[in-house]
């Protein structure tokens, strides 16, 4: 009996990995939903209208997942992902009703990141450059889709430069398809052109500034 073609074996392995990912994420998402909705208010003084998610690398991927999943997204007021992007099969919009709830998102990426390359918008998915074999959604397309979900006029034009002052990092370039108005827009793609894949103190500073600007009003 002839051995199956290599392409079939690779496809089968990828399918098994995807199923494993689903098996892992489903109970984890249920746990997070229960934590936000039931456990936290029962034991802590928490304003459940102001739950924000910040994650780095794999945590940044999880931040996008929480914003995309209809079970968790309605419980959040905003997400921030530092050097994390969804895997190639998760080019999805926000998991809440577009007309009823906004879910602002800021992405923070390194221009020289070889582990989770943000890309330049020329393709929807980018392969990592450190031989891991993973593909991630291109940051341009992820933020473009997020902007469209907030009724921003994405069209076919590239995103506009948005001035977003980040303490001590003048070289940071942020872009958006949305009109920021009086504050940061609902979808903001920020790049540090000379950074690789590593934690930086300014990542959290940028995220907290973004969350503060999108704080849910009282009442």
């Amino acid at each position: 009996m002839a051995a199956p073609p290599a392409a079939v074996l690779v496809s089968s392995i990828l399918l098994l990995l995807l199923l494993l990912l689903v098996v892992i994420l489903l109970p984890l998402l249920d746990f997070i939903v229960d934590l936000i909705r039931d456990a936290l208010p029962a034991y802590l003084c928490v304003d459940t209208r102001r739950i924000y998610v910040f994650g780095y690398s794999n945590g940044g991927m999880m931040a996008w997942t929480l914003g995309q999943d209809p079970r968790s997204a309605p419980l959040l007021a905003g997400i921030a992902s530092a050097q994390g992007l969804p895997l190639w099969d998760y080019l999805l919009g926000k998991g809440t009703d577009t007309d009823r709830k906004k879910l602002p998102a800021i992405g923070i990426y390194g221009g020289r990141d070889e582990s989770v390359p943000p890309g330049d918008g020329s393709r929807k998915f980018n392969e990592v450059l450190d031989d891991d074999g993973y593909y991630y959604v291109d940051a341009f397309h992820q933020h473009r889709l997020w902007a469209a979900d907030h009724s921003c006029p994405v069209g076919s034009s590239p995103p506009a430069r948005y001035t977003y002052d980040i303490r001590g990092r003048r070289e940071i370039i942020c872009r958006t398809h949305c009109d920021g108005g009086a504050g940061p827009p609902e979808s903001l793609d920020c790049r540090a052109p000379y950074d690789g894949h590593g934690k930086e103190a300014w990542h959290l500073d940028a995220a907290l500034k973004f969350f503060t600007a999108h704080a849910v009003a009282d009442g």
Side-chain angles (χ1 to χ4, degrees), residues 176-216:
T176 183
H177 283 288
C178 302
D179 180 6
E186 284 81 10
S187 178
L188 192 58
D189 176 351
C190 294
R191 314 277 183 106
Y194 307 113
D195 282 8
H197 193 82
K199 295 179 182 178
E200 299 283 350
W202 69 269
H203 292 167
L204 183 57
D205 290 340
L208 292 176
K209 179 181 177 180
F210 185 79
F211 293 155
T212 300
H214 286 285
V216 177

Side-chain angles (χ1 to χ4, degrees), residues 95-107:
T96 63
D97 185 276
T98 302
D99 297 327
R100 290 192 301 158
K101 181 176 175 65
K102 292 184 176 181
L103 185 58
I106 181 173

Side-chain angles (χ1 to χ4, degrees), residues 49-108:
R49 300 172 306 153
R50 296 185 172 114
I51 301 293
Y52 300 88
V53 174
F54 170 80
Y56 164 76
S57 193
N58 282 334
M61 300 172 205
M62 189 63 186
W64 283 115
T65 297
L66 292 173
Q68 294 168 333
D69 193 282
R71 292 168 294 173
S72 51
L75 304 175
L76 305 178
I79 64 173
S81 174
Q83 299 183 341
L85 283 161
L87 291 172
W88 68 273
D89 51 346
Y90 277 82
L91 181 56
L92 304 172
K94 66 185 181 67
T96 63
D97 185 276
T98 302
D99 297 327
R100 290 192 301 158
K101 181 176 175 65
K102 292 184 176 181
L103 185 58
I106 181 173
I108 303 164

Side-chain angles (χ1 to χ4, degrees), residues 1-26:
M1 182 177 177
V8 174
L9 289 175
V10 171
S11 299
S12 300
I13 292 172
L14 289 176
L15 179 59
L16 288 173
L17 290 175
L18 179 59
L19 290 174
L20 179 61
L21 182 65
V22 170
V23 169
I24 293 172
L25 282 182
L26 284 178

